[in-house]
Amino acid sequence: RYLDRIARLASFMYTRSYEPELDVDVGELARLKELGREHPLVFLWSHKSHLDGFVFMRAIYDSDFRPQPLSFAGLNMAFAGLKTLGKRSGAIFLRRSFKDDEIYRLVFRHYIDYLVKMRVPLSWSIEGTRSRTGKLMPPKLGLIRWAIESYHRASCDDVLFVPVSISFDQIPEMDDYVAMQRGLPKREESLGWFVSYISGMQAHVGKIYLRYGEPLALSDAASRLEGMFDASGKPGHTHVQKVAFEIMSRIEHVTPILLTDLVTLVLLAANGRALVEDQIRAHAQEIIALVRQRGLPMAGELSRESGASLAGALTAMTGTGLLHCFSEGSEPEYRVTPGKELAAAYYRNTIVHYF
């Protein structure tokens, strides 16, 4: 009953600005369902927006994935109205930091051991916080280390760490990210903030994309990383880092290149000069040729790039103020809106690792 409620809340939230159908790699998700029958799964997803956890859960729910993974979330999201619903639908709210609280650490480690023993699938954001720049943040190692310890201690069937990339044509929190990059404090989460966040999602800005990377088996990591566990069964710090960065790399390399990313890449390279649609298309097609040559992942609209899809992207980006359109000449000309360079750089940065 509560899974159904949280799933409906997720849809209510994201469909205010995004297309109702999530762009999900259903074939890969079906394969993970089969793998989950034999191995415990730990889903580790990229964190671009407050919508990520809701969207991840909705995609899993729609695929009839059972059992539903339990998700670790920050205690900052356990405010009135969401706390009870979250806890009863599989959310585990954690303090941001508890390294100085030995009792909290001890109880939590025993809880991880229990979940592992019961073979419950788990999920959380590997970055631990939302990226404000578009690039992946450094991975948080605490939960990964404890999960590895628990699986090793329980001599559990091989656990699979599943990299998950969640991408958006445009991010609803972009104004907040730009403000934080300029030194303003982060807004505190609360019920009032949550209502304001949802009501502020009004403009249609495209799609949400979920991609699943090749799972990383703990046994494979242990065989490649000699001496991963010490005599007490604890993994070395460097070994945990290597596992985490391997997962991050796999997230990066399934992240699809979107039209928004490509347009911002082209327009930022123009150094403030406005370009007409045909000029943007010409530059974009050069990059798309390189992308195809290298076999990089693309979103559907990009793989079949046409005049309609590019025109639609330019209209959506102009509608949110990311681009400025000068339409009084013979042809409309587009440039990054002055003052929005950091916002444009965010989208470019989500694919900059490919180049």
Side-chain angles (χ1 to χ4, degrees):
R1 185 168 71 251
Y2 280 93
L3 280 175
D4 182 61
R5 289 176 184 175
I6 197 76
R8 282 190 279 122
L9 173 62
S11 291
F12 172 74
M13 289 172 64
Y14 79 77
T15 55
R16 293 177 64 84
S17 286
Y18 299 93
E19 293 187 13
E21 186 175 354
L22 299 170
D23 191 317
V24 181
D25 187 343
V26 274
E28 187 61 27
L29 192 51
R31 185 171 81 96
L32 290 172
K33 283 177 65 177
E34 291 302 314
L35 288 173
R37 299 180 192 278
E38 301 178 7
H39 306 285
L41 301 181
V42 176
F43 294 89
L44 298 169
W45 33 272
S46 59
H47 202 3
K48 295 287 193 298
S49 166
H50 281 301
L51 292 174
D52 292 325
F54 293 97
V55 167
F56 169 79
M57 188 283 305
R58 180 76 220 199
I60 291 286
Y61 179 84
D62 287 343
S63 71
D64 200 29
F65 200 102
R66 294 292 182 272
Q68 184 91 4
L70 299 185
S71 295
F72 293 107
L75 196 59
N76 59 307
M77 295 299 289
F79 47 79
L82 190 60
K83 181 178 180 179
T84 301
L85 179 59
K87 290 177 73 172
R88 294 188 179 184
S89 55
I92 304 166
F93 294 107
L94 298 180
R95 297 180 190 174
R96 284 291 187 181
S97 175
F98 44 85
K99 61 183 179 181
D100 298 325
D101 189 333
E102 291 299 328
I103 294 178
Y104 195 100
R105 284 164 58 89
L106 180 65
V107 171
F108 184 66
R109 293 181 72 162
H110 278 281
Y111 185 49
I112 293 281
D113 285 347
Y114 170 76
L115 295 177
V116 166
K117 181 180 177 182
M118 300 303 292
R119 296 173 55 89
V120 176
L122 304 172
S123 80
W124 67 86
S125 158
I126 191 170
E127 299 166 89
T129 187
R130 293 167 298 154
S131 170
R132 272 67 162 174
T133 65
K135 298 179 183 179
L136 289 183
M137 302 281 284
K140 297 293 185 183
L141 303 180
L143 274 175
I144 295 177
R145 177 186 295 109
W146 287 1
I148 290 174
E149 277 185 37
S150 292
Y151 284 112
H152 182 69
R153 189 161 48 244
S155 299
C156 191
D157 291 344
D158 205 4
V159 60
L160 302 181
F161 291 98
V162 183
V164 183
S165 168
I166 304 176
S167 306
F168 301 79
D169 277 326
Q170 292 193 62
I171 302 288
E173 295 102 315
M174 186 54 65
D175 289 343
D176 285 348
Y177 293 169
V178 171
M180 282 186 276
Q181 287 193 66
R182 289 176 173 157
L184 294 178
K186 174 179 175 287
R187 289 197 294 172
E188 293 297 322
E189 290 84 0
S190 65
L191 180 58
W193 163 86
F194 190 58
V195 172
S196 174
Y197 177 80
I198 296 175
S199 62
M201 295 175 59
Q202 296 179 350
H204 179 74
V205 292
K207 287 185 178 181
I208 303 176
Y209 308 81
L210 288 93
R211 299 292 184 268
Y212 304 90
E214 184 63 29
L216 175 63
L218 181 56
S219 60
D220 289 346
S223 64
R224 285 190 282 114
L225 302 173
E226 187 176 347
M228 182 172 181
F229 298 97
D230 62 20
S232 65
K234 293 185 177 181
H237 180 73
T238 302
H239 297 100
V240 175
Q241 278 187 321
K242 289 181 178 180
V243 169
F245 277 103
E246 174 65 24
I247 296 166
M248 298 287 273
S249 178
R250 295 187 185 196
I251 290 175
E252 282 194 329
H253 288 91
V254 294
T255 298
I257 299 173
L258 311 179
L259 261 176
T260 306
D261 310 331
L262 198 59
V263 169
T264 53
L265 182 65
V266 168
L267 289 178
L268 285 171
N271 294 318
R273 185 165 56 92
L275 302 177
V276 299
E277 185 178 326
D278 285 344
Q279 290 174 311
I280 296 172
R281 179 178 293 103
H283 289 302
Q285 286 175 342
E286 291 180 10
I287 300 171
I288 291 172
L290 175 64
V291 166
R292 287 183 174 139
Q293 179 185 335
R294 296 177 56 194
L296 302 178
M298 297 183 283
E301 287 81 358
L302 190 62
S303 62
R304 55 178 182 272
E305 202 286 307
S306 66
S309 57
L310 178 59
L314 292 173
T315 299
M317 295 164 74
T318 303
T320 58
L322 182 62
L323 300 185
H324 173 257
C325 175
F326 178 78
S327 57
E328 297 178 16
S330 57
E331 292 183 74
E333 294 184 325
Y334 299 89
R335 65 169 177 167
V336 174
T337 302
K340 295 284 188 177
E341 291 82 5
L342 284 175
Y346 182 100
Y347 297 109
R348 177 202 59 196
N349 287 347
T350 61
I351 61 167
V352 75
H353 57 278
Y354 286 128
F355 304 108

